[in-house]
């Protein structure tokens, strides 16, 4: 492929940080680099604390475990997302409830209102492509007298929140903003992914960030989640390795999902220049696509900035007006033959075998299908040059316009 759909940023700064892990600290599992990475995320998100984990998925499983959700509890997710969103709920033994999305690809808050009952413990909006869900509207709903009065908390933590939690699937949206503030400020917990295609990567990795109460109370939550991420062990291997610190205890039935330093080093070298450099470059790529496609009457541009909600420019979710799945797929195949890698985000959950088997039907999620059938995700990554962008736009337009003529 001349222009791949995705490429991780692996440059000399990443190499320097990796070499420092190998030869300066000599510590490759969780230790100083992971802690520094956690602090950088906290700083970027203006949150109180961040727990790094080895994937978004393990972060979600860990958080559900810490929250103590059980089989009678319900978590509401959008049907238009990557499978991990729903599977994290299902694999935690919690009931997953599905709703449709709006035209901007984010969860339909009005539909959430119709699904909330006394078992609802959390909503998990997805910031698809990096565009934040409407957290302000969601908060208004969850803070309403009606929702608060039916909320049935089971733990002291749930009681202290007093309404269903907002757990953001922010796998795509590190750096997204709402009213100029990090979007994670509008959720109770936000979970990021640092998988190799994400805006910041650690190869595989993830993080849970939060600002719930004061610093002191949140520090206690950080400690508890951290311990749970390490088999319930009270100390990391790094802490145990300090002089006279070998003794530890296991205080909970934890998971083992910590992020190693060797991975954190990659993300650390990226996050330090994320806001002022890497994110700006991604925004410029989005702007290039926008200015090219804005006058094409067949192009439906993705949401980028609407009423204070601003994308993190993760995936450019272009849609082709009037196209069905088959016309869209033909364009993708032809682009592939021309050396341009594109993708589709996502096949809605009710169209996937497992979710069909458990009873989901795409006819119940009409908007998800409408968005999916003509969506083509275009490459967005650091280092994608102007020549490549021009070629992507020209080849795509050529293929779409050829296809339109054939239809006529
Ligand atoms: C929306 C969304 N949620 C969750 C995940 C899972 O992330 P991870 O692979 O880090 O577990 C992904 C991964 O692509 C995703 O796109």
């Amino acid at each position: 492929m001349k222009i791949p759909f995705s490429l991780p940023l692996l440059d000399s700064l990443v190499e320097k940080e990796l070499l420092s892990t190998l030869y300066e600290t000599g510590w490759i599992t969780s230790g100083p680099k992971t802690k520094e990475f956690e602090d950088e995320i906290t700083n970027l998100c203006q949150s109180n604390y961040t727990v790094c984990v080895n994937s978004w998925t393990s972060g979600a499983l860990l958080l559900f475990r810490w929250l103590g959700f059980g089989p009678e509890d319900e978590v509401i997710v959008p049907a238009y997302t990557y499978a991990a969103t729903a599977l994290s709920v299902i694999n935690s033994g919690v009931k997953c409830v599905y709703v449709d999305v709006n035209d901007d690809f984010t969860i339909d808050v009005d539909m959430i209102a119709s699904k909330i009952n006394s078992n609802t413990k959390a909503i998990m909006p997805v910031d698809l492509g990096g565009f934040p869900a409407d957290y302000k509207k969601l908060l208004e709903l969850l803070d309403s007298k009606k929702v608060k009065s039916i909320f049935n908390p089971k733990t002291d933590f749930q009681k202290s929140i007093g309404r269903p939690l907002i757990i953001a699937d922010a796998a795509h949206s590190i750096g997204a903003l709402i009213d100029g503030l990090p979007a994670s400020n509008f959720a109770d917990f936000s979970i990021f992914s640092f998988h190799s295609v994400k805006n910041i990567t650690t190869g595989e990795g993830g993080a849970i960030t939060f600002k719930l109460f004061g610093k002191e109370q949140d520090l206690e939550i950080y400690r508890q989640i951290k311990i749970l991420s390490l088999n319930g062990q009270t100390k990391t291997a790094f802490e145990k390795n300090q002089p006279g610190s070998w003794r530890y205890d296991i205080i909970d039935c934890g998971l083992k999902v910590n992020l190693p330093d060797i991975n954190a080093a990659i993300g650390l070298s990226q996050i330090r220049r994320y806001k002022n450099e890497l994110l700006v470059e991604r925004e410029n790529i989005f702007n290039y696509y926008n200015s090219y496609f804005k006058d094409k009457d067949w192009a439906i541009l993705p949401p980028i900035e609407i009423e204070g909600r601003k994308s993190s420019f993760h995936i450019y979710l272009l849609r082709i007006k009037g196209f069905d799945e088959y016309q869209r797929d033909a364009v993708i195949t032809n682009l592939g033959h021309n050396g341009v890698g594109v993708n589709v985000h996502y096949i809605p959950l009710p169209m996937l075998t497992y979710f069909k088997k458990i009873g989901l039907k795409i006819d119940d999620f009409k908007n998800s299908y409408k968005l999916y059938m003509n969506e083509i995700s275009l490459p967005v990554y650091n280092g994608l040059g102007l020549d490549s962008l021009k070629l992507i736009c020209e080849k795509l337009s050529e293929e779409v316009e050829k296809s339109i003529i054939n239809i006529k």
Side-chain angles (χ1 to χ4, degrees), residues 74 76 97-100 108-118 120 123 138 141-142 146-147 150:
E74 297 183 10
I76 301 176
V97 176
Y98 306 82
V99 297
D100 211 346
D108 183 335
V109 176
D110 295 330
M111 220 173 256
I112 293 174
S114 70
K115 296 281 182 185
I116 288 181
N117 61 49
S118 59
T120 308
I123 319 296
L138 179 58
L141 168 70
L142 299 183
K146 190 172 166 211
V147 171
I150 59 167

PDB file of all heavy atoms in Angstrom, residues 74 76 97-100 108-118 120 123 138 141-142 146-147 150:
ATOM      1  N   GLU A  74     -27.299  -2.388  34.997  1.00  0.00           N
ATOM      2  CA  GLU A  74     -27.343  -2.143  33.549  1.00  0.00           C
ATOM      3  C   GLU A  74     -26.435  -0.972  33.175  1.00  0.00           C
ATOM      4  O   GLU A  74     -26.372   0.027  33.905  1.00  0.00           O
ATOM      5  CB  GLU A  74     -28.785  -1.821  33.112  1.00  0.00           C
ATOM      6  CG  GLU A  74     -29.733  -2.977  33.352  1.00  0.00           C
ATOM      7  CD  GLU A  74     -31.149  -2.719  32.852  1.00  0.00           C
ATOM      8  OE1 GLU A  74     -31.376  -1.714  32.142  1.00  0.00           O
ATOM      9  OE2 GLU A  74     -32.032  -3.541  33.194  1.00  0.00           O
ATOM     10  N   ILE A  76     -25.648   1.461  29.733  1.00  0.00           N
ATOM     11  CA  ILE A  76     -26.176   1.799  28.403  1.00  0.00           C
ATOM     12  C   ILE A  76     -25.027   2.219  27.479  1.00  0.00           C
ATOM     13  O   ILE A  76     -24.210   3.071  27.845  1.00  0.00           O
ATOM     14  CB  ILE A  76     -27.225   2.930  28.506  1.00  0.00           C
ATOM     15  CG1 ILE A  76     -28.390   2.491  29.432  1.00  0.00           C
ATOM     16  CG2 ILE A  76     -27.741   3.330  27.122  1.00  0.00           C
ATOM     17  CD1 ILE A  76     -29.434   3.565  29.684  1.00  0.00           C
ATOM     18  N   VAL A  97     -27.143  -2.534  27.655  1.00  0.00           N
ATOM     19  CA  VAL A  97     -28.355  -2.021  27.008  1.00  0.00           C
ATOM     20  C   VAL A  97     -27.892  -1.102  25.866  1.00  0.00           C
ATOM     21  O   VAL A  97     -26.994  -0.284  26.062  1.00  0.00           O
ATOM     22  CB  VAL A  97     -29.207  -1.231  28.028  1.00  0.00           C
ATOM     23  CG1 VAL A  97     -30.427  -0.596  27.361  1.00  0.00           C
ATOM     24  CG2 VAL A  97     -29.635  -2.156  29.176  1.00  0.00           C
ATOM     25  N   TYR A  98     -28.527  -1.250  24.689  1.00  0.00           N
ATOM     26  CA  TYR A  98     -28.026  -0.568  23.494  1.00  0.00           C
ATOM     27  C   TYR A  98     -28.994   0.516  23.044  1.00  0.00           C
ATOM     28  O   TYR A  98     -30.208   0.307  23.063  1.00  0.00           O
ATOM     29  CB  TYR A  98     -27.854  -1.578  22.360  1.00  0.00           C
ATOM     30  CG  TYR A  98     -26.980  -2.753  22.764  1.00  0.00           C
ATOM     31  CD1 TYR A  98     -27.523  -3.834  23.483  1.00  0.00           C
ATOM     32  CD2 TYR A  98     -25.631  -2.772  22.466  1.00  0.00           C
ATOM     33  CE1 TYR A  98     -26.723  -4.897  23.873  1.00  0.00           C
ATOM     34  CE2 TYR A  98     -24.823  -3.834  22.859  1.00  0.00           C
ATOM     35  CZ  TYR A  98     -25.385  -4.896  23.568  1.00  0.00           C
ATOM     36  OH  TYR A  98     -24.596  -5.940  23.963  1.00  0.00           O
ATOM     37  N   VAL A  99     -28.438   1.653  22.623  1.00  0.00           N
ATOM     38  CA  VAL A  99     -29.286   2.687  22.022  1.00  0.00           C
ATOM     39  C   VAL A  99     -28.649   3.145  20.710  1.00  0.00           C
ATOM     40  O   VAL A  99     -27.477   2.867  20.449  1.00  0.00           O
ATOM     41  CB  VAL A  99     -29.520   3.901  22.963  1.00  0.00           C
ATOM     42  CG1 VAL A  99     -30.272   3.493  24.214  1.00  0.00           C
ATOM     43  CG2 VAL A  99     -28.224   4.589  23.319  1.00  0.00           C
ATOM     44  N   ASP A 100     -29.422   3.878  19.924  1.00  0.00           N
ATOM     45  CA  ASP A 100     -28.945   4.346  18.613  1.00  0.00           C
ATOM     46  C   ASP A 100     -28.113   5.625  18.786  1.00  0.00           C
ATOM     47  O   ASP A 100     -27.971   6.141  19.906  1.00  0.00           O
ATOM     48  CB  ASP A 100     -30.161   4.599  17.702  1.00  0.00           C
ATOM     49  CG  ASP A 100     -29.847   4.337  16.233  1.00  0.00           C
ATOM     50  OD1 ASP A 100     -28.651   4.228  15.889  1.00  0.00           O
ATOM     51  OD2 ASP A 100     -30.792   4.255  15.424  1.00  0.00           O
ATOM     52  N   ASP A 108     -27.446   8.807  21.358  1.00  0.00           N
ATOM     53  CA  ASP A 108     -28.676   9.586  21.366  1.00  0.00           C
ATOM     54  C   ASP A 108     -29.188   9.712  22.810  1.00  0.00           C
ATOM     55  O   ASP A 108     -29.694   8.745  23.392  1.00  0.00           O
ATOM     56  CB  ASP A 108     -29.701   8.853  20.471  1.00  0.00           C
ATOM     57  CG  ASP A 108     -31.011   9.613  20.341  1.00  0.00           C
ATOM     58  OD1 ASP A 108     -31.339  10.401  21.249  1.00  0.00           O
ATOM     59  OD2 ASP A 108     -31.702   9.388  19.337  1.00  0.00           O
ATOM     60  N   VAL A 109     -29.039  10.901  23.367  1.00  0.00           N
ATOM     61  CA  VAL A 109     -29.376  11.096  24.788  1.00  0.00           C
ATOM     62  C   VAL A 109     -30.878  10.947  25.032  1.00  0.00           C
ATOM     63  O   VAL A 109     -31.300  10.438  26.069  1.00  0.00           O
ATOM     64  CB  VAL A 109     -28.847  12.468  25.286  1.00  0.00           C
ATOM     65  CG1 VAL A 109     -29.282  12.735  26.725  1.00  0.00           C
ATOM     66  CG2 VAL A 109     -27.317  12.521  25.186  1.00  0.00           C
ATOM     67  N   ASP A 110     -31.700  11.339  24.047  1.00  0.00           N
ATOM     68  CA  ASP A 110     -33.154  11.181  24.231  1.00  0.00           C
ATOM     69  C   ASP A 110     -33.519   9.701  24.344  1.00  0.00           C
ATOM     70  O   ASP A 110     -34.398   9.317  25.115  1.00  0.00           O
ATOM     71  CB  ASP A 110     -33.925  11.803  23.063  1.00  0.00           C
ATOM     72  CG  ASP A 110     -33.716  13.307  23.019  1.00  0.00           C
ATOM     73  OD1 ASP A 110     -33.514  13.896  24.106  1.00  0.00           O
ATOM     74  OD2 ASP A 110     -33.716  13.884  21.923  1.00  0.00           O
ATOM     75  N   MET A 111     -32.799   8.887  23.576  1.00  0.00           N
ATOM     76  CA  MET A 111     -33.071   7.444  23.639  1.00  0.00           C
ATOM     77  C   MET A 111     -32.577   6.857  24.974  1.00  0.00           C
ATOM     78  O   MET A 111     -33.183   5.921  25.503  1.00  0.00           O
ATOM     79  CB  MET A 111     -32.402   6.755  22.471  1.00  0.00           C
ATOM     80  CG  MET A 111     -33.256   5.674  21.891  1.00  0.00           C
ATOM     81  SD  MET A 111     -32.527   5.045  20.402  1.00  0.00           S
ATOM     82  CE  MET A 111     -33.549   5.811  19.193  1.00  0.00           C
ATOM     83  N   ILE A 112     -31.488   7.417  25.490  1.00  0.00           N
ATOM     84  CA  ILE A 112     -31.007   6.967  26.809  1.00  0.00           C
ATOM     85  C   ILE A 112     -32.120   7.181  27.832  1.00  0.00           C
ATOM     86  O   ILE A 112     -32.412   6.307  28.656  1.00  0.00           O
ATOM     87  CB  ILE A 112     -29.738   7.749  27.244  1.00  0.00           C
ATOM     88  CG1 ILE A 112     -28.553   7.412  26.339  1.00  0.00           C
ATOM     89  CG2 ILE A 112     -29.392   7.466  28.708  1.00  0.00           C
ATOM     90  CD1 ILE A 112     -27.311   8.241  26.591  1.00  0.00           C
ATOM     91  N   ALA A 113     -32.776   8.354  27.739  1.00  0.00           N
ATOM     92  CA  ALA A 113     -33.834   8.697  28.704  1.00  0.00           C
ATOM     93  C   ALA A 113     -34.905   7.601  28.730  1.00  0.00           C
ATOM     94  O   ALA A 113     -35.426   7.248  29.794  1.00  0.00           O
ATOM     95  CB  ALA A 113     -34.444  10.040  28.344  1.00  0.00           C
ATOM     96  N   SER A 114     -35.192   7.040  27.559  1.00  0.00           N
ATOM     97  CA  SER A 114     -36.260   6.024  27.507  1.00  0.00           C
ATOM     98  C   SER A 114     -35.795   4.669  28.037  1.00  0.00           C
ATOM     99  O   SER A 114     -36.606   3.788  28.274  1.00  0.00           O
ATOM    100  CB  SER A 114     -36.781   5.888  26.072  1.00  0.00           C
ATOM    101  OG  SER A 114     -35.785   5.277  25.276  1.00  0.00           O
ATOM    102  N   LYS A 115     -34.495   4.484  28.217  1.00  0.00           N
ATOM    103  CA  LYS A 115     -33.969   3.178  28.670  1.00  0.00           C
ATOM    104  C   LYS A 115     -33.591   3.165  30.153  1.00  0.00           C
ATOM    105  O   LYS A 115     -33.303   2.101  30.715  1.00  0.00           O
ATOM    106  CB  LYS A 115     -32.721   2.810  27.861  1.00  0.00           C
ATOM    107  CG  LYS A 115     -32.972   2.609  26.392  1.00  0.00           C
ATOM    108  CD  LYS A 115     -33.577   1.238  26.115  1.00  0.00           C
ATOM    109  CE  LYS A 115     -33.774   1.020  24.628  1.00  0.00           C
ATOM    110  NZ  LYS A 115     -34.460  -0.212  24.316  1.00  0.00           N
ATOM    111  N   ILE A 116     -33.539   4.341  30.767  1.00  0.00           N
ATOM    112  CA  ILE A 116     -33.099   4.390  32.166  1.00  0.00           C
ATOM    113  C   ILE A 116     -34.168   3.799  33.090  1.00  0.00           C
ATOM    114  O   ILE A 116     -35.355   4.111  32.972  1.00  0.00           O
ATOM    115  CB  ILE A 116     -32.767   5.845  32.592  1.00  0.00           C
ATOM    116  CG1 ILE A 116     -31.464   6.284  31.911  1.00  0.00           C
ATOM    117  CG2 ILE A 116     -32.645   5.981  34.112  1.00  0.00           C
ATOM    118  CD1 ILE A 116     -31.003   7.669  32.253  1.00  0.00           C
ATOM    119  N   ASN A 117     -33.707   2.908  33.977  1.00  0.00           N
ATOM    120  CA  ASN A 117     -34.606   2.379  35.011  1.00  0.00           C
ATOM    121  C   ASN A 117     -33.815   2.260  36.311  1.00  0.00           C
ATOM    122  O   ASN A 117     -32.661   2.702  36.367  1.00  0.00           O
ATOM    123  CB  ASN A 117     -35.209   1.028  34.562  1.00  0.00           C
ATOM    124  CG  ASN A 117     -34.124   0.007  34.337  1.00  0.00           C
ATOM    125  OD1 ASN A 117     -33.245  -0.186  35.177  1.00  0.00           O
ATOM    126  ND2 ASN A 117     -34.139  -0.649  33.190  1.00  0.00           N
ATOM    127  N   SER A 118     -34.401   1.632  37.322  1.00  0.00           N
ATOM    128  CA  SER A 118     -33.728   1.615  38.628  1.00  0.00           C
ATOM    129  C   SER A 118     -32.468   0.736  38.622  1.00  0.00           C
ATOM    130  O   SER A 118     -31.674   0.792  39.553  1.00  0.00           O
ATOM    131  CB  SER A 118     -34.705   1.141  39.710  1.00  0.00           C
ATOM    132  OG  SER A 118     -35.155  -0.147  39.372  1.00  0.00           O
ATOM    133  N   THR A 120     -30.225   0.947  36.130  1.00  0.00           N
ATOM    134  CA  THR A 120     -29.187   1.631  35.344  1.00  0.00           C
ATOM    135  C   THR A 120     -28.110   2.194  36.265  1.00  0.00           C
ATOM    136  O   THR A 120     -28.394   3.020  37.131  1.00  0.00           O
ATOM    137  CB  THR A 120     -29.815   2.787  34.521  1.00  0.00           C
ATOM    138  OG1 THR A 120     -30.920   2.267  33.781  1.00  0.00           O
ATOM    139  CG2 THR A 120     -28.790   3.399  33.582  1.00  0.00           C
ATOM    140  N   ILE A 123     -23.784   5.079  32.072  1.00  0.00           N
ATOM    141  CA  ILE A 123     -23.915   5.295  30.635  1.00  0.00           C
ATOM    142  C   ILE A 123     -22.475   5.357  30.104  1.00  0.00           C
ATOM    143  O   ILE A 123     -21.613   5.985  30.730  1.00  0.00           O
ATOM    144  CB  ILE A 123     -24.606   6.648  30.298  1.00  0.00           C
ATOM    145  CG1 ILE A 123     -25.788   6.943  31.240  1.00  0.00           C
ATOM    146  CG2 ILE A 123     -24.978   6.721  28.820  1.00  0.00           C
ATOM    147  CD1 ILE A 123     -26.936   6.003  31.159  1.00  0.00           C
ATOM    148  N   LEU A 138     -26.298  15.004  28.513  1.00  0.00           N
ATOM    149  CA  LEU A 138     -26.409  13.753  29.280  1.00  0.00           C
ATOM    150  C   LEU A 138     -26.417  14.052  30.787  1.00  0.00           C
ATOM    151  O   LEU A 138     -27.227  13.509  31.544  1.00  0.00           O
ATOM    152  CB  LEU A 138     -25.252  12.821  28.906  1.00  0.00           C
ATOM    153  CG  LEU A 138     -25.202  11.484  29.635  1.00  0.00           C
ATOM    154  CD1 LEU A 138     -26.479  10.682  29.430  1.00  0.00           C
ATOM    155  CD2 LEU A 138     -23.993  10.653  29.156  1.00  0.00           C
ATOM    156  N   LEU A 141     -29.700  15.309  31.925  1.00  0.00           N
ATOM    157  CA  LEU A 141     -30.662  14.206  32.073  1.00  0.00           C
ATOM    158  C   LEU A 141     -30.403  13.441  33.380  1.00  0.00           C
ATOM    159  O   LEU A 141     -31.335  13.182  34.164  1.00  0.00           O
ATOM    160  CB  LEU A 141     -30.552  13.254  30.873  1.00  0.00           C
ATOM    161  CG  LEU A 141     -31.283  11.921  31.006  1.00  0.00           C
ATOM    162  CD1 LEU A 141     -32.801  12.133  30.953  1.00  0.00           C
ATOM    163  CD2 LEU A 141     -30.871  10.944  29.901  1.00  0.00           C
ATOM    164  N   LEU A 142     -29.126  13.087  33.617  1.00  0.00           N
ATOM    165  CA  LEU A 142     -28.824  12.252  34.781  1.00  0.00           C
ATOM    166  C   LEU A 142     -29.006  13.008  36.096  1.00  0.00           C
ATOM    167  O   LEU A 142     -29.281  12.398  37.134  1.00  0.00           O
ATOM    168  CB  LEU A 142     -27.393  11.706  34.685  1.00  0.00           C
ATOM    169  CG  LEU A 142     -27.102  10.823  33.466  1.00  0.00           C
ATOM    170  CD1 LEU A 142     -25.688  10.277  33.517  1.00  0.00           C
ATOM    171  CD2 LEU A 142     -28.096   9.667  33.347  1.00  0.00           C
ATOM    172  N   LYS A 146     -36.152  13.262  38.140  1.00  0.00           N
ATOM    173  CA  LYS A 146     -36.752  11.981  37.766  1.00  0.00           C
ATOM    174  C   LYS A 146     -35.712  10.854  37.798  1.00  0.00           C
ATOM    175  O   LYS A 146     -35.936   9.801  38.409  1.00  0.00           O
ATOM    176  CB  LYS A 146     -37.353  12.119  36.357  1.00  0.00           C
ATOM    177  CG  LYS A 146     -38.204  10.961  35.961  1.00  0.00           C
ATOM    178  CD  LYS A 146     -38.931  11.238  34.662  1.00  0.00           C
ATOM    179  CE  LYS A 146     -39.488   9.919  34.149  1.00  0.00           C
ATOM    180  NZ  LYS A 146     -39.547   9.866  32.713  1.00  0.00           N
ATOM    181  N   VAL A 147     -34.558  11.099  37.185  1.00  0.00           N
ATOM    182  CA  VAL A 147     -33.536  10.044  37.123  1.00  0.00           C
ATOM    183  C   VAL A 147     -32.953   9.801  38.511  1.00  0.00           C
ATOM    184  O   VAL A 147     -32.785   8.650  38.943  1.00  0.00           O
ATOM    185  CB  VAL A 147     -32.423  10.415  36.103  1.00  0.00           C
ATOM    186  CG1 VAL A 147     -31.260   9.442  36.200  1.00  0.00           C
ATOM    187  CG2 VAL A 147     -32.995  10.429  34.689  1.00  0.00           C
ATOM    188  N   ILE A 150     -35.139   7.590  40.789  1.00  0.00           N
ATOM    189  CA  ILE A 150     -35.234   6.131  40.573  1.00  0.00           C
ATOM    190  C   ILE A 150     -33.885   5.430  40.715  1.00  0.00           C
ATOM    191  O   ILE A 150     -33.809   4.206  40.700  1.00  0.00           O
ATOM    192  CB  ILE A 150     -35.873   5.751  39.204  1.00  0.00           C
ATOM    193  CG1 ILE A 150     -35.075   6.340  38.044  1.00  0.00           C
ATOM    194  CG2 ILE A 150     -37.328   6.151  39.133  1.00  0.00           C
ATOM    195  CD1 ILE A 150     -35.475   5.739  36.699  1.00  0.00           C
TER     196      ILE A 150
END
